[in-house]
Amino acid sequence: MKISFKPLFLSSAIALVLAGCGSAKMVSVPVESIDKMPLKTTPLAEKDLQRWSHLDLVKDTVPGMSVDKAYAELLKGKKGTKVIVGIVDSGVDINHEDLKSVIWTNPKEIAGNKIDDDKNGYVDDIHGWNFLGDAVHEQLEMTRIVKKGPNTPEYAKAKAKLDEEIQGLQGNKQQLDMILNADKAIKTHLKKDNYTLEEVKKIETTDKSLLQAKMMFSQILAGTPKAEFDKQIEEFKDYVYGQLNYNLNVDFDGRKIVGDNPNDLSDTKYGNNNVVGPEPKEAKHGTHVAGIVAQVRGNKKGGDGVASTVSIMAVRAVPNGDEYDKDIALGIRYAVDNGAKVINGSFGKYFSQNKEWVIEAIKYAESKDVLLVIAAGNESYDLDTTNKYPNDTYDNSPEFAKNVLIIGALSPEYGSKMVAGFSNYGKNNVDIFSPGDKIYATTPLNTYEYLQGTSMASPNVAGVAALIRSYYPSLTAIQVKQIIMESGTSLVNTVSVGEDKHKASFSDISKSGKIVNAYNALILAEKMAKK
């Protein structure tokens, strides 16, 4: 499943109604001084919010990665080598105005001749490969397990979780339907779709349903413009009905449209070269992730990517639902075999039937000197007690590979709320944190949006890794991981984490106890490269 924040991002007004309806030195200043810095009390200006992940903690008092500082002070006048970054995701809008110039093109393939020119098993894979074909929606892994029946490993756990999720979604559906019906009633009464708060307040009626709708939308529109409400509620509707109709529906079969056997790793002749996917809007997640890494810097369009010397290889393997282990394993191998030096994986799930396929693919990437950067997940879980797939260790066993970084998400608010409320964490199973809340980047059809999730934190780190590999190409993937971990800014803040929002020392919620810093990373990279 795409690891972006679930649509609980509804504005506070709508959320309240829903609740009511139902229920040049490595560190610029000493760490002790950073933790005593005055907190920013005024909101970030829009121009700063759009690039907060690139700002500097000391200068701007937001926990950014000091990317702008790195370009201004360390990279000015230097020339990097091109690095291919594989984006294993929901698809990438390769025609986006802010991405098309950085999309990878397979130099060994002749476009449109319907011949596998490079003999890699994928015909006309000009910009990557689409392992999902025309499929869009999928079940969650736990749904597939339940569908297989009681003799399937982890059936009881999956069944209990599935029942819990369905019950919760039914409550959301009732709340959603109530709001939609109220919206319809007001539209009918006013004979218009786009109405204002003033028009709602002027409604005079004795009809109890319409009166209730008036009260509801007087509250909603007091904090959210109608156009914004329409956008938010449509996304929430897509989420709720997508879960019930596809993700949690044991009778749904999204794989039949692909035409392969997802339980046979040797069945590789499937998919197509349409890396956007059949529905451009469904490539929103992957397009945003790609933009965080590589949207063109300084062109005054949207935001800026972290890395300016990269090519984006699109690997479509993540549906609206849980990804198949087979697609992820083959997707990683595809990216490795076609020259990616960094792979971003903003996806994940909590059940896996063929995790060994992905483990072997990660080991294969390690053997080929490729770094994998993976989102930690958005359920506020402690990954030291809950397995999230993929990772580089399960059940607290020793790490099976040294080329994986697991990334938690930061919010722009320095202090106790610095860790994004949704982010997973773990002293042993999350490596480091980076910006992942309110991240501005490319979305399909030449648009730009703020999205949030560890999905957004992961490509921020992938971008830093690509920077290091671009300017210091002699460094290995394992060295790049070491550099990112060691050069991060150490903090000893007490922060809120977990579903219960308990207090924890920042140093106790990840292996490094640090937040990523591109400036420091490049300084350490230069020192290590000289050795």
Side-chain angles (χ1 to χ4, degrees), residues 106-386:
N106 186 345
K108 300 177 182 179
E109 197 75 16
I110 299 172
N113 67 355
K114 299 182 180 179
I115 298 173
D116 182 13
D117 300 290
D118 58 3
K119 295 180 172 53
N120 67 353
Y122 304 97
V123 176
D124 285 345
D125 56 323
I126 303 301
H127 302 298
W129 194 251
N130 171 11
F131 286 94
L132 302 178
D134 291 334
V136 174
H137 303 290
E138 251 304 338
Q139 295 170 316
L140 298 186
E141 193 71 32
M142 64 182 173
T143 312
R144 297 176 198 140
I145 291 172
V146 172
K147 185 174 185 176
K148 284 187 174 181
N151 294 327
T152 309
E154 291 202 285
Y155 174 84
K157 179 181 176 183
K159 182 68 165 62
K161 185 64 175 175
L162 180 63
D163 290 344
E164 176 188 338
E165 292 290 325
I166 290 175
Q167 184 176 0
L169 261 295
Q170 290 294 351
N172 280 337
K173 180 180 179 297
Q174 291 176 0
Q175 297 167 351
L176 173 65
D177 289 345
M178 188 177 296
I179 290 182
L180 292 175
N181 288 334
D183 183 34
K184 182 179 179 181
I186 294 176
K187 287 177 179 178
T188 301
H189 179 80
L190 295 176
K191 296 182 173 59
K192 61 193 305 185
D193 291 341
N194 189 22
Y195 50 82
T196 66
L197 174 61
E198 289 71 26
E199 288 172 324
V200 171
K201 287 182 174 181
K202 289 179 181 178
I203 293 175
E204 295 183 2
T205 181
T206 57
D207 182 285
K208 290 184 179 180
S209 295
L210 184 57
L211 188 60
Q212 185 179 29
K214 175 184 176 179
M215 293 172 61
M216 182 184 298
F217 274 85
S218 293
Q219 185 176 359
I220 289 174
L221 297 182
T224 306
K226 183 61 166 61
E228 181 63 23
F229 161 82
D230 288 339
K231 178 183 175 183
Q232 290 186 24
I233 212 68
E234 187 64 26
E235 290 183 354
F236 190 62
K237 177 183 172 183
D238 287 346
Y239 169 72
V240 170
Y241 281 96
Q243 289 271 295
L244 293 173
N245 294 338
Y246 310 118
N247 303 160
L248 306 177
N249 183 359
V250 293
D251 297 321
F252 178 70
D253 183 3
R255 194 66 179 192
K256 62 183 179 182
I257 196 173
V258 179
D260 74 314
N261 178 358
N263 298 307
D264 181 1
L265 189 62
S266 66
D267 178 10
T268 61
K269 305 297 184 183
Y270 69 101
N272 59 46
N273 69 346
N274 178 12
V275 294
V276 182
E279 300 177 19
K281 72 173 185 176
E282 294 296 335
K284 179 177 179 177
H285 188 273
T287 302
H288 199 268
V289 166
I292 292 169
V293 176
Q295 56 195 349
V296 179
R297 292 184 64 84
N299 66 352
K300 299 182 180 179
K301 294 179 180 179
D304 284 343
V306 176
S308 59
T309 52
V310 300
S311 292
I312 294 296
M313 177 190 294
V315 181
R316 185 171 182 261
V318 183
N320 173 25
D322 276 350
E323 59 279 357
Y324 278 91
D325 296 317
K326 172 184 171 180
D327 296 336
I328 298 305
L330 292 178
I332 290 172
R333 288 176 179 272
Y334 175 90
V336 170
D337 289 341
N338 287 280
K341 300 308 290 182
V342 178
I343 297 174
N344 187 80
S346 290
F347 53 81
K349 55 190 180 181
Y350 297 96
F351 291 87
S352 174
Q353 297 185 72
N354 295 292
K355 69 177 183 293
E356 66 278 1
W357 294 349
V358 180
I359 289 174
E360 290 305 314
I362 292 172
K363 289 180 178 179
Y364 179 70
E366 181 183 32
S367 74
K368 299 294 185 178
D369 189 34
V370 179
L371 181 72
L372 273 80
V373 186
I374 298 174
N378 299 330
E379 281 68 36
S380 306
Y381 291 163
D382 181 351
L383 295 190
D384 291 352
T385 60
T386 300

Side-chain angles (χ1 to χ4, degrees), residues 473-506:
S474 65
L475 298 175
T476 66
I478 293 173
Q479 286 176 312
V480 173
K481 174 181 177 177
Q482 178 187 350
I483 286 166
I484 289 172
M485 295 274 284
E486 291 183 3
S487 66
T489 303
S490 298
L491 298 176
V492 295
N493 305 56
T494 297
V495 292
S496 298
V497 294
E499 295 176 282
D500 59 355
K501 305 303 176 193
H502 67 273
K503 302 295 184 183
S505 169
F506 192 85

Side-chain angles (χ1 to χ4, degrees), residues 64-80:
M65 302 188 300
S66 304
V67 176
D68 292 345
K69 182 180 179 182
Y71 275 98
E73 299 181 20
L74 301 178
L75 300 180
K76 193 172 183 179
K78 290 186 177 181
K79 186 176 182 180

Side-chain angles (χ1 to χ4, degrees), residues 31 34-35 57 63-64 407-411 413-420 423-428 430-435 485 488-497 502-517:
V31 170
I34 290 177
D35 282 344
L57 178 60
I407 311 300
L410 298 171
S411 80
E413 187 173 347
Y414 177 72
S416 63
K417 297 179 181 179
M418 186 170 55
V419 173
S423 182
N424 289 349
Y425 61 99
K427 176 69 174 175
N428 297 312
V430 172
D431 289 312
I432 198 164
F433 278 76
S434 74
M485 295 274 284
T489 303
S490 298
L491 298 176
V492 295
N493 305 56
T494 297
V495 292
S496 298
V497 294
H502 67 273
K503 302 295 184 183
S505 169
F506 192 85
S507 60
D508 287 331
I509 61 170
S510 72
K511 185 173 290 186
S512 67
K514 298 178 180 180
I515 65 177
V516 172
N517 189 283

Side-chain angles (χ1 to χ4, degrees), residues 71 79-84 307-311 466-467 470-471:
Y71 275 98
K79 186 176 182 180
T81 59
K82 190 74 72 175
V83 172
I84 299 171
S308 59
T309 52
V310 300
S311 292
L467 268 184
S470 172
Y471 288 91

